[in-house]
């Protein structure tokens, strides 16, 4: 493709949302390009087991990612494994600038860049990242075989990953700042029934300490009475939610106070022809299935947008 040619649609991000958008866009015969800087499947690759993808009772995140990518490839979805540096919206077309300087154009763009794990912001967290501090049990759990780990958080991710870690490690402490979990009931019941998991309620982690071999302990503070104590641990897994990867969202695009992009029911932003889907978008439920649904909606809406644009141009 030369610089002057314009794609109908560029999708930035190849997670479940982006890949679904790609499948629908190819089925709608849009001249499409998907750009992904890492591995297809996004956060799915950091997920152990998926049990809520309809029609498939149980599948590993990595296997589901592979299936989705293969499905999109069967429709001939062109993909580019590069990093996008900037997205500049325009009246006639949007410009996507790659980190290597290449410039691409598209009538419509779907942003599907997802989110990244939030950090605790405590002393030791950055210093010992990779030496006992982790944000991915599937990636790093193996290093803690028969050891003790602390998990921070009370949502679906914290409980799901704690259950995964309980299969590998000797002991999992779940440190949660309140006296009730945010996670769904099934996960709560499973975590509470798991003998290797101990829940530490009403407690925040204030520091991570380490020796020569890496993380050796954490400092905890009880939120009820303010008491402090040390807890020996070999690892700390942080699952306290996700921050949107909104670095490419152009200035002037409406976002909420937490940085999630605000869209209408078609997943379109306030910038015409610019769509946001999946975990990047402000919405009630963030699931693989809702990311995929967003991908479908945005691709269909983009197809209409492109058709109108071509007819009016
Ligand atoms: P989440 O639902 O936002 O939960 C974050 C948890 O971390 C909450 O319990 C929160 O406590 C706690 N937290 C937040 N900031 C904290 C801080 N600074 N210090 C200590 N604790 C902190 O995030 P998530 O679990 O990553 O899930 C993200 C989305 O993906 C959710 O919509 C979730 O349902 C979905 N998800 C679904 C599945 C599944 O269906 N199997 C699996 C994974 C994720 P509070 O409760 O006190 O706010």
């Amino acid at each position: 493709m030369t610089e002057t040619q314009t794609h109908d649609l560029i999708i930035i991000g190849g997670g479940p949302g982006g890949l679904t958008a790609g499948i629908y866009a190819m089925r709608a015969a849009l001249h499409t390009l998907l750009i992904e800087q890492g591995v297809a499947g996004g956060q799915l690759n950091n997920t152990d087991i998926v049990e809520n993808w309809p029609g498939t009772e149980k599948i590993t995140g990595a296997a589901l990612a592979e299936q989705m990518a293969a499905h999109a490839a069967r429709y001939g979805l062109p993909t580019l494994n590069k990093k996008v540096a900037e997205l500049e919206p325009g009246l006639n077309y949007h410009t996507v600038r790659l980190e290597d300087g290449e410039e691409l154009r598209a009538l419509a763009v779907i942003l599907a860049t997802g989110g990244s794990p939030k950090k605790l912001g405590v002393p030791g967290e950055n210093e010992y990242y990779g030496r006992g501090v982790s944000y991915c049990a599937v990636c790093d759990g193996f290093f803690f075989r028969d050891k003790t780990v602390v998990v921070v958080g009370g949502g679906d991710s914290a409980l799901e990953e704690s259950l995964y870690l309980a299969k590998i490690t000797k002991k999992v402490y779940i440190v949660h700042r309140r006296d009730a979990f945010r996670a769904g009931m099934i996960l709560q019941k499973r975590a509470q029934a798991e003998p290797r998991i101990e829940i530490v309620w009403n407690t925040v982690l204030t520091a991570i300490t380490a020796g020569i071999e890496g993380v050796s302990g954490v400092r905890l503070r009880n939120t009820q009475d303010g008491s402090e104590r040390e807890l020996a641990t070999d690892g700390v897994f942080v699952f306290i939610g996700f921050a949107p990867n909104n670095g490419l969202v152009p200035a002037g695009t409406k976002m909420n106070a937490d940085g999630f992009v605000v869209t209408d029911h078609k997943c379109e932003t306030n910038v015409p022809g610019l769509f946001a889907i999946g975990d990047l978008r402000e919405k009630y439920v963030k699931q693989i299935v809702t990311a995929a649904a967003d991908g479908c909606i945005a691709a269909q809406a983009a197809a209409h947008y492109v058709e109108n644009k071509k007819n009016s141009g």
Side-chain angles (χ1 to χ4, degrees):
M1 155 140 303
T2 64
E3 268 186 28
T4 46
Q5 282 178 300
T6 303
H7 290 85
D8 289 336
L9 172 66
I10 289 181
I11 301 162
I12 304 175
L19 288 170
T20 306
I23 290 169
Y24 275 83
M26 293 308 286
R27 287 168 62 91
L30 289 184
H31 180 211
T32 307
L33 175 69
L34 184 143
I35 308 174
E36 163 61 51
Q37 62 179 8
V39 187
Q43 289 173 54
L44 262 184
N45 293 296
N46 301 339
T47 305
D48 177 27
I49 303 286
V50 176
E51 293 180 312
N52 48 15
W53 178 251
T56 308
E57 275 179 41
K58 203 170 189 166
I59 185 168
T60 65
L64 185 56
E66 214 175 289
Q67 285 182 9
M68 286 183 181
H71 193 166
R74 269 200 297 279
Y75 280 104
L77 174 69
T79 58
L80 197 58
N81 197 215
K82 288 195 176 173
K83 192 168 176 173
V84 175
E86 195 189 4
L87 167 62
E88 186 187 319
L91 227 47
N92 298 322
Y93 55 82
H94 303 316
T95 304
V96 175
R97 285 195 191 89
L98 303 180
E99 217 178 39
D100 63 12
E102 193 181 349
E103 231 175 63
L104 304 166
R105 293 174 179 178
L107 296 179
V109 170
I110 296 178
L111 274 172
T113 47
S116 298
K118 271 193 199 163
K119 292 191 168 187
L120 279 168
V122 299
E125 185 178 21
N126 288 338
E127 294 89 321
Y128 307 123
Y129 172 65
R131 291 207 295 136
V133 177
S134 171
Y135 303 87
C136 176
V138 179
C139 321
D140 300 326
F142 173 78
F143 300 113
F144 299 91
R145 188 169 293 276
D146 298 323
K147 294 188 172 178
T148 297
V149 294
V150 164
V151 167
V152 186
D156 284 326
S157 299
L159 268 55
E160 212 165 69
E161 305 303 311
S162 295
L163 287 162
Y164 174 78
L165 287 166
K167 289 187 280 184
I168 305 170
T169 60
K170 183 173 68 182
K171 175 97 187 173
V172 179
Y173 291 99
I174 303 180
V175 173
H176 184 37
R177 63 183 179 184
R178 290 190 294 130
D179 61 357
F181 284 132
R182 179 182 291 272
M185 250 328 158
I186 289 185
L187 287 173
Q188 291 198 32
K189 284 188 177 152
R190 281 189 199 161
Q192 274 158 353
E194 168 53 58
R196 291 188 192 186
I197 292 180
E198 183 176 331
I199 301 159
V200 186
W201 299 110
N202 298 312
T203 299
V204 291
L205 191 157
T206 54
I208 298 168
T209 51
I212 321 159
E213 306 228 320
V215 168
S216 59
V218 288
R219 189 153 186 81
L220 303 177
R221 190 181 69 238
N222 185 297
T223 55
Q224 305 278 287
D225 59 17
S227 61
E228 299 209 6
R229 68 172 167 125
E230 308 280 341
L231 180 67
T233 184
D234 302 296
V236 178
F237 285 82
V238 181
F239 301 111
I240 58 167
F242 278 84
N245 292 333
N246 57 13
L248 292 176
V249 177
T253 311
K254 200 171 164 201
M255 290 191 265
N256 70 13
D258 297 320
F260 291 91
V261 177
V262 177
T263 72
D264 64 10
H265 64 290
K266 293 184 291 182
C267 292
E268 191 168 14
T269 69
N270 60 314
V271 179
L274 176 61
F275 300 81
I277 64 173
D279 285 2
L280 174 66
R281 185 170 88 81
E282 178 188 62
K283 61 177 173 180
Y284 180 52
V285 177
K286 294 193 177 71
Q287 294 280 305
I288 303 162
V289 73
T290 58
D294 283 358
C296 158
I297 293 164
Q300 299 283 84
H304 278 282
Y305 176 86
V306 166
E307 197 184 331
N308 287 341
K309 194 94 187 146
K310 284 180 175 172
N311 289 340
S312 66

